[in-house]
Amino acid sequence: MAMKFEKTGEGTYMLDVCGYVCPHPQIYCKKSLEKMAEGDVVEVILDNPSSVETITQMCDQIGHEVMDKKTEGGKIFMKIKKG
Amino acid sequence: METTVDTSQKRNQVWAFIITGILILISVLYYKANVYYMYLVAYIWFGFAYGMMLQYGRFCFASASRDLFAAGVPRMAVGILVALIFFSLIQATLASTNMSTFHPAPFGIHTLISGMIFGIGMVLAGGCASGSLYKIGEGNGTSFLAAFFGLCLGQAIFVDVKWFNFLIPQKWVDSAIAKGLSADKMTSSFDTYLAGYVWDQPTLQWSHTKTISEAFPGALKYFLGDSLLNALIPAAVLLIVIYAFYIRKGFMKKRAKAKGGATGFGDEIAGIWNMITASKRTTIMGVIIGIVAGLHIFVMKGMQIKFGVSNFGQLLTRMGHASDTSIKGTVFDPGYWYITSQEGQLGGWILDKLGWNMRDNIFFGVNNGLPDPWRNPALWMSLGIVFGAMVMARLNNEFKFKLPKGELIAWGLIGGLLMGMGSRPALGCNIGAFFIRVAGGDPSGWLYGAGMVAGAFVGVKFFNWWSERKMAKEMEAF
């Protein structure tokens, strides 16, 4: 098991933290956003429901936009735009 | 055509009904076996309710300080403080009607140190004692490792070994010997610590102090001493501090932009309210958990009155299971929400069956007994939490088996062991040593809480360093 943080295109990234439990997904998500430029978008893939709640509130507080959130096959996909 | 999603949802619903049905069946069988088992059944269903609420509200004490330090998110800290406020008011009501089972704990520096060890452990394990149980219900294997190897086996071994004798000063040894306990029940380092140090420490509950009980006679001393002084005021102050440090700046900036002008005191109040209601599911569950925890005390006290006992060990003896109990005829029966001691009992029972004498110590032999797991009331509460959370996770399609892999195995084991070792010296965990004590008017609860927060800070610092390394490695490619 390893986390993946990849650049998928110009200004787009993918962070895969499936298998990880708290607090890893939220820490990796925060760190990923810190590495990105304003307006960049990261798709976060995780399977730890508790982390979704924290990430959503973190984005709201800092000013990032959660553009999309969906669940498929036990995995949660969040698309976040850095504000 | 039925979709995969529909099939999965239906399967989850069926599982939720099966689990609930099995627990109902178990309850009926206990009732049929002996009406005294209703005492144990009450623990099952309160545990079940806690599990459902913890899972729905993502209610984890580890998350409270960890998310604050790691992500600047106060959701859980706010939820816990809200729960504390409601629970303390109910505790005061119960105490004033002589329906409380609460008892304060010995007060000393050991509480702070234990809290710190526990705090580091809960961050590493990814959940506190109660959080780990509800996460097992979600199918989380890392939490299972932490609970089974740390809280169960680790804790049982911790109370029965001599490995820590080098830390024990002679005056504790002398004081322990002076207590006159039988030598075959005082064999471990923890025994000497307990009898030679902890039992010599004072207990403090505001309503029982001379100043408070004289200034506020009758029921008032519980509401003003235990609830207002020990829980409501500190909780309110903490809410304001959290708001000032983590929320205020961003909220006021947004507010000023929306209003197109200066902000005032009303906006500050709106900011605090906004923080409290930011995660409705957590805050609502905080309110309900506080109320249910109070109701739990009421029901257990009612059962004790009904059966004319003060501990389930007396009922076990009446039913012919005296061998389950300690030399005092008791088993671990807190009378309210509690975690860890019962997990230690399960670990002790397993080791005992494997040939390790676990009754030659104070923890099992003198105080808590070593009942078979199916006759252990508090252990049923823990199982209830697991199954309650499992039902809720199934109903919300959030259940998923996740086997621990890679580094998570190490974090789960180390974190679980630290939680086990951090809960025993303080005689409780995030629930028993913090939540229940603070709400009951025992300031040692805050001491444990302060330790937990400090430990969590260390744990988060470590994980920040660890994840930064991994991120740097990942980013080498771009």
Side-chain angles (χ1 to χ4, degrees):
Chain A
M1 184 191 69
M3 75 88 166
K4 281 186 208 138
F5 181 53
E6 291 171 1
K7 188 165 187 172
T8 52
E10 200 49 52
T12 58
Y13 298 83
M14 188 275 296
L15 172 69
D16 185 346
V17 280
C18 284
Y20 279 94
V21 294
C22 292
H24 304 274
Q26 47 264 50
I27 289 182
Y28 283 124
C29 183
K30 185 173 185 237
K31 290 202 177 289
S32 303
L33 285 159
E34 283 168 3
K35 311 281 180 199
M36 292 159 45
E38 196 174 325
D40 288 355
V41 174
V42 61
E43 181 171 45
V44 185
I45 309 168
L46 67 164
D47 54 6
N48 187 49
S50 319
S51 298
V52 177
E53 199 83 8
T54 304
I55 291 171
T56 306
Q57 203 180 348
M58 178 182 77
C59 291
D60 183 53
Q61 278 172 223
I62 298 175
H64 306 317
E65 183 191 350
V66 179
M67 300 161 67
D68 191 30
K69 188 163 65 179
K70 62 185 177 191
T71 305
E72 275 175 21
K75 288 184 180 178
I76 302 143
F77 296 80
M78 297 180 81
K79 207 167 260 189
I80 302 168
K81 185 178 184 181
K82 180 164 177 170
Chain B
M1 192 181 70
E2 202 171 46
T3 64
T4 316
V5 176
D6 290 337
T7 313
S8 163
Q9 276 179 356
K10 275 188 182 166
R11 197 171 53 230
N12 277 326
Q13 283 172 2
V14 169
W15 267 110
F17 285 120
I18 289 173
I19 296 161
T20 311
I22 289 172
L23 283 177
I24 292 171
L25 185 64
I26 288 170
S27 304
V28 172
L29 289 174
Y30 270 122
Y31 174 70
K32 283 285 184 193
N34 197 313
V35 72
Y36 289 152
Y37 280 123
M38 292 313 288
Y39 193 97
L40 183 148
V41 169
Y43 270 116
I44 296 179
W45 290 101
F46 272 103
F48 189 82
Y50 291 134
M52 292 188 91
M53 293 184 290
L54 291 170
Q55 201 283 333
Y56 183 80
R58 322 283 191 221
F59 222 87
C60 177
F61 287 62
S63 164
S65 34
R66 181 194 65 206
D67 287 353
L68 208 56
F69 298 137
V73 172
R75 169 185 73 86
M76 199 63 257
V78 170
I80 286 170
L81 293 170
V82 168
L84 205 53
I85 287 169
F86 279 85
F87 184 40
S88 78
L89 286 168
I90 294 173
Q91 273 265 52
T93 309
L94 293 171
S96 64
T97 53
N98 205 21
M99 285 298 285
S100 176
T101 49
F102 176 75
H103 49 85
F107 192 101
I109 191 71
H110 63 284
T111 316
L112 182 73
I113 297 167
S114 302
M116 285 180 75
I117 297 168
F118 186 90
I120 297 171
M122 71 182 184
V123 170
L124 294 186
C128 58
S130 49
S132 293
L133 291 183
Y134 99 66
K135 285 172 186 181
I136 293 173
E138 288 179 339
N140 188 324
T142 307
S143 296
F144 177 79
L145 283 185
F148 186 73
F149 290 99
L151 296 180
C152 294
L153 297 177
Q155 219 187 157
I157 293 169
F158 179 70
V159 300
D160 198 55
V161 294
K162 297 181 174 69
W163 302 342
F164 305 99
N165 278 357
F166 68 96
L167 290 170
I168 307 279
Q170 187 57 40
K171 66 175 183 181
W172 292 8
V173 177
D174 298 339
S175 174
I177 291 168
K179 301 285 186 312
L181 279 170
S182 143
D184 67 336
K185 292 291 179 205
M186 205 168 64
T187 56
S188 69
S189 310
F190 186 71
D191 290 339
T192 314
Y193 160 81
L194 211 54
Y197 168 74
V198 175
W199 290 356
D200 293 338
Q201 303 310 305
T203 58
L204 179 58
Q205 185 178 1
W206 291 115
S207 58
H208 289 55
T209 58
K210 198 167 178 280
T211 317
I212 298 286
S213 59
E214 280 179 4
F216 310 107
L220 261 186
K221 64 177 178 284
Y222 298 112
F223 286 96
L224 298 182
D226 294 344
S227 182
L228 183 69
L229 183 63
N230 203 61
L232 302 188
I233 292 174
V237 169
L238 280 174
L239 283 172
I240 292 167
V241 168
I242 291 170
Y243 167 72
F245 277 92
Y246 292 95
I247 301 291
R248 187 174 182 273
K249 196 175 163 191
F251 180 82
M252 294 308 259
K253 199 173 158 186
K254 277 188 205 166
R255 197 79 167 179
K257 199 175 169 186
K259 284 174 87 173
T263 53
F265 183 69
D267 297 299
E268 303 282 8
I269 299 296
I272 293 173
W273 183 247
N274 182 270
M275 174 184 78
I276 291 171
T277 55
S279 177
K280 287 189 179 58
R281 66 194 293 164
T282 302
T283 303
I284 290 169
M285 280 306 121
V287 173
I288 301 176
I289 284 173
I291 294 170
V292 171
L295 190 63
H296 187 185
I297 293 179
F298 178 73
V299 169
M300 297 323 297
K301 183 71 178 179
M303 290 246 176
Q304 289 178 358
I305 293 170
K306 163 85 182 157
F307 295 131
V309 297
S310 57
N311 183 281
F312 187 63
Q314 294 162 275
L315 294 179
L316 281 172
T317 304
R318 282 186 204 170
M319 291 188 286
H321 300 298
S323 61
D324 282 354
T325 68
S326 68
I327 55 168
K328 290 197 287 192
T330 54
V331 291
F332 180 64
D333 173 19
Y336 39 73
W337 191 14
Y338 216 97
I339 321 275
T340 65
S341 291
Q342 59 266 42
E343 277 81 14
Q345 281 181 309
L346 175 62
W349 181 84
I350 292 169
L351 294 170
D352 199 61
K353 292 292 170 203
L354 292 174
W356 185 327
N357 180 8
M358 296 304 287
R359 292 174 188 269
D360 61 345
N361 58 58
I362 293 175
F363 187 70
F364 297 121
V366 178
N367 285 342
N368 298 314
L370 212 49
D372 286 329
W374 49 92
R375 285 195 297 268
N376 185 333
L379 185 62
W380 266 114
M381 174 164 55
S382 294
L383 291 172
I385 292 175
V386 172
F387 291 123
M390 197 177 281
V391 165
M392 186 57 92
R394 289 276 185 188
L395 289 174
N396 287 313
N397 297 307
E398 290 176 343
F399 180 86
K400 190 184 175 198
F401 273 120
K402 277 189 283 185
L403 286 175
K405 291 178 192 165
E407 65 186 273
L408 291 185
I409 295 175
W411 303 144
L413 289 174
I414 297 169
L417 284 170
L418 288 173
M419 279 201 289
M421 289 168 60
S423 56
R424 216 33 29 234
L427 316 179
C429 61
N430 55 293
I431 301 297
F434 169 69
F435 188 66
I436 300 285
R437 283 182 202 165
V438 168
D442 176 355
S444 79
W446 284 116
L447 208 53
Y448 192 81
M452 272 201 310
V453 172
F457 184 77
V458 173
V460 166
K461 281 280 173 202
F462 170 74
F463 269 149
N464 265 331
W465 167 78
W466 180 264
S467 53
E468 194 62 47
R469 277 175 67 243
K470 292 185 80 172
M471 287 296 289
K473 208 170 169 186
E474 284 292 303
M475 291 180 73
E476 277 172 359
F478 53 92

